[in-house]
Amino acid sequence: MTKDNKGTGKSNQMWGGHFDEMPDELLQKINASISFDNKLYKEDIQGSIAHTKMLVKQGIISTEDGNNIADGLMRILQGIEDGTVKFKTEFEDIHMNIEHKLKGLAGESAGRLHTARSRNDQVAVDFRLWVRNRIDETIADLKNLRRVLVTRAENDAATIMPGFTHLQSAQPVTFGHHLMAYYEMLTRDQSRFEDARKRMNQCPLGAAALAGTSFPTDRFKTASELEFDAPTNNSLDSVSDRDFALEFLSAASITMMHLSRLAEEIVIWCSAQFKFVTLSDKFTTGSSIMPQKRNPDAAELVRGKTGRVYGSLITLLTVMKALPLAYNKDMQEDKEPVFDAAETLQICLKVMAGMLLDMKVNSENMLKSASAGFATATDFADWLVRELNIPFRDAHHITGKAVKLAETKGVDISGLSLEDLQKIEPKITGNIFTVLGVENSVKSRKSYGGTAPDEVLKQVKKAKEELK
């Protein structure tokens, strides 16, 4: 049952002139957003101060009113940060909570703040500012993680490990080369956030409810004050656009996918079956029943939290997919998924950097694994092409026979005798053994972007220049 507000003589302060009664309690409950949009308090105050300065400059409100408003907003900011200002659900959202507090501090002047502004453009600018700040933080975290990868790659430029396709041993590579692959992924991720930031950096403040305003405002002034490149071009689009949030979530989802792939590999590398790397107590947990266990929980959680960020993207896409212009209350649902995704992405980027710095590489196990599984079979085939001028498809067939014979004998290809190999292809010479060791295989991959240690170090040097 809900409380009947009929006959109370009370109405909402924001639209009380047209309404005689308070909203039903259920409407108040579903309508209130202060429990989550309080995160926008800094941006809301920042936007309001910029708006106030513009109103004063344009002669729309007096300097005295402007000073009263700005002083009151700064006192509210301080109160929120020191915990003395408390938010109330009855005032719905962060905007009205701050406006209510301002009224108690600035008196009649407070009522002039909302001149030439609507909550529609107010929330639009607050949200853009918040997302822009999170993009800047994300870029910083991505740069840090890229630096960690480069440092580790440089240290392990010559550490040999098996390269996989289908999670089957394919060709030997270096661990440094493997890590630099993730550096490339994260570099693209960073560029996506940078690109999204450029596109979103237009100021919607001044679009008012949807049609602009009749007051002589200067939207270029507020845009500049808030460090936007320019004001948005269309008032309808200004208040109804959430592409900037969707682009943030899209870039975050792709980044999380990359983190999840690396996390999955760390989980595999830590397993007893691989033993390629070891994580310390800092990033692992034990078992409540199996005392021998060391679980890579940090990596598993990064892998698992990827689904949360994907879900946030789908949530906002679904909210926006059928909304007519301009603002609709559905758009209140835009913030929680973005807030959650931003927090998730931030902790995962930091955790991944921590794990990589903490990780101990078991190079002997990596080398042993790289030497098994006929990882130099391609080198064998390439030698036949290069030295004997045999067409690659024929060389592939000859190599397959050599692998089969080695399997029968329980050895690697390098364990076959020259006599064994010449029974398969008489033209083969003893020189073939110079390419069958994993060290020789890795060193030979000198093509641009290849796994040869010298080439990895070239890519590391290039990456260091990029990170400057």
Side-chain angles (χ1 to χ4, degrees):
M1 296 292 290
T2 61
K3 185 178 178 181
D4 186 356
N5 293 307
K6 246 185 174 183
T8 62
K10 296 180 180 179
S11 62
N12 189 287
Q13 294 181 33
M14 288 179 287
W15 50 80
H18 185 67
F19 288 72
D20 294 325
E21 302 173 19
M22 287 290 289
D24 188 273
E25 286 183 1
L26 283 174
L27 175 57
Q28 292 184 57
K29 189 172 184 179
I30 196 174
N31 191 45
S33 58
I34 186 60
S35 63
F36 55 86
D37 69 16
N38 62 72
K39 292 181 186 294
L40 299 175
Y41 75 90
K42 284 184 182 179
E43 290 77 12
D44 192 73
I45 290 172
Q46 183 184 4
S48 290
I49 289 175
H51 184 65
T52 301
K53 288 181 178 179
M54 182 275 297
L55 293 176
V56 171
K57 181 176 177 290
Q58 295 299 107
I60 298 171
I61 66 173
S62 69
T63 301
E64 181 182 359
D65 283 331
N67 289 339
N68 289 339
I69 291 169
D71 178 66
L73 288 171
M74 291 306 297
R75 290 166 64 187
I76 292 169
L77 176 62
Q78 181 62 43
I80 293 172
E81 295 188 336
D82 65 23
T84 58
V85 168
K86 305 297 182 184
F87 301 124
K88 295 182 179 180
T89 304
E90 65 191 87
F91 296 112
E92 268 188 43
D93 56 30
I94 187 61
H95 323 294
M96 296 312 301
N97 266 271
I98 288 176
E99 189 170 322
H100 173 71
K101 294 292 182 185
L102 183 63
K103 186 176 181 180
L105 294 171
E108 186 178 316
S109 297
R112 302 188 186 281
L113 169 60
H114 213 53
T115 308
R117 186 179 73 170
S118 163
R119 273 198 301 174
N120 293 355
D121 62 334
Q122 185 179 359
V123 69
V125 75
D126 291 1
F127 199 21
R128 276 192 194 232
L129 288 168
W130 192 92
V131 172
R132 191 177 69 181
N133 289 337
R134 299 298 82 73
I135 286 177
D136 290 343
E137 291 174 0
T138 300
I139 289 171
D141 286 335
L142 280 165
K143 277 186 178 179
N144 179 59
L145 181 51
R146 289 166 65 216
R147 286 191 186 97
V148 170
L149 284 165
V150 168
T151 299
R152 297 247 36 167
E154 185 173 25
N155 293 338
D156 288 294
T159 301
I160 295 173
M161 68 175 290
F164 299 97
T165 61
H166 309 279
L167 205 54
Q168 303 294 312
S169 184
Q171 293 176 275
V173 297
T174 63
F175 190 50
H177 186 58
H178 195 108
L179 293 177
M180 286 302 289
Y182 285 101
Y183 171 85
E184 293 296 325
M185 295 180 208
L186 295 173
T187 299
R188 293 193 296 272
D189 291 331
Q190 183 174 320
S191 71
R192 271 183 279 271
F193 282 107
E194 290 169 345
D195 187 51
R197 192 192 193 284
K198 290 177 185 177
R199 195 161 24 255
M200 70 165 286
N201 206 35
Q202 294 182 322
C203 183
L205 189 58
L210 75 162
T213 177
S214 60
F215 289 94
T217 57
D218 183 353
R219 293 190 61 212
F220 288 87
K221 163 70 176 172
T222 48
S224 176
E225 183 73 25
L226 295 170
E227 298 183 0
F228 286 102
D229 295 330
T232 48
N233 296 315
N234 181 284
S235 59
L236 282 166
D237 180 57
S238 300
V239 299
S240 63
D241 168 48
R242 293 298 182 269
D243 289 359
F244 63 92
L246 287 166
E247 286 199 65
F248 173 80
L249 292 175
S250 176
S253 295
I254 297 172
T255 302
M256 286 298 299
M257 177 267 291
H258 291 147
L259 295 181
S260 183
R261 293 182 72 179
L262 180 52
E264 167 70 2
E265 297 212 279
I266 291 173
V267 170
I268 292 171
W269 295 339
C270 284
S271 69
Q273 289 70 29
F274 277 74
K275 293 183 180 177
F276 284 2
V277 303
T278 303
L279 292 173
S280 75
D281 296 355
K282 294 178 181 180
F283 291 94
T284 58
T285 63
S287 166
S288 62
I289 191 173
M290 296 169 284
Q292 83 281 10
K293 295 290 293 298
R294 180 183 291 277
N295 301 320
D297 280 10
E300 291 173 3
L301 285 167
V302 170
R303 186 177 60 185
K305 286 180 180 293
T306 301
R308 289 178 70 131
V309 180
Y310 289 0
S312 294
L313 173 59
I314 296 301
T315 295
L316 187 52
L317 283 168
T318 305
V319 167
M320 298 300 297
K321 73 177 181 63
L323 296 186
L325 293 176
Y327 182 83
N328 296 270
K329 195 66 173 182
D330 314 47
M331 292 164 69
Q332 182 169 291
E333 293 298 304
D334 58 1
K335 292 166 199 67
E336 285 183 285
V338 175
F339 292 163
D340 186 77
E343 183 178 346
T344 301
L345 176 61
Q346 184 178 64
I347 188 65
C348 287
L349 285 168
K350 293 182 185 301
V351 164
M352 186 58 72
M355 277 194 294
L356 289 172
L357 288 171
D358 178 71
M359 193 166 60
K360 178 184 176 183
V361 177
N362 303 321
S363 56
E364 290 183 9
N365 287 344
M366 283 188 174
L367 178 60
K368 182 179 178 181
S369 181
S371 302
F374 311 105
T376 57
T378 303
D379 298 277
F380 187 102
D382 287 346
W383 184 90
L384 295 173
V385 173
R386 188 172 57 251
E387 300 295 328
L388 304 182
N389 200 29
I390 295 174
F392 183 80
R393 283 301 168 202
D394 294 338
H396 188 285
H397 186 70
I398 293 167
T399 304
K401 285 187 174 182
V403 170
K404 187 173 182 180
L405 178 61
E407 285 178 332
T408 302
K409 289 178 173 286
V411 297
D412 192 61
I413 301 176
S414 60
L416 296 173
S417 67
L418 179 59
E419 183 182 358
D420 288 332
L421 296 174
Q422 288 177 337
K423 286 179 181 178
I424 298 171
E425 171 49 62
K427 295 180 183 178
I428 293 175
T429 68
N431 192 42
I432 186 69
F433 294 103
T434 64
V435 302
L436 294 182
V438 291
E439 291 89 350
N440 291 329
S441 173
V442 165
K443 288 179 182 177
S444 71
R445 306 293 171 180
K446 295 181 178 180
S447 58
Y448 181 83
T451 194
D454 288 346
E455 186 59 33
V456 173
L457 291 175
K458 287 179 184 177
Q459 295 302 320
V460 165
K461 183 179 179 181
K462 178 174 176 287
K464 286 182 175 181
E465 290 297 319
E466 291 172 352
L467 288 167
K468 286 182 181 179

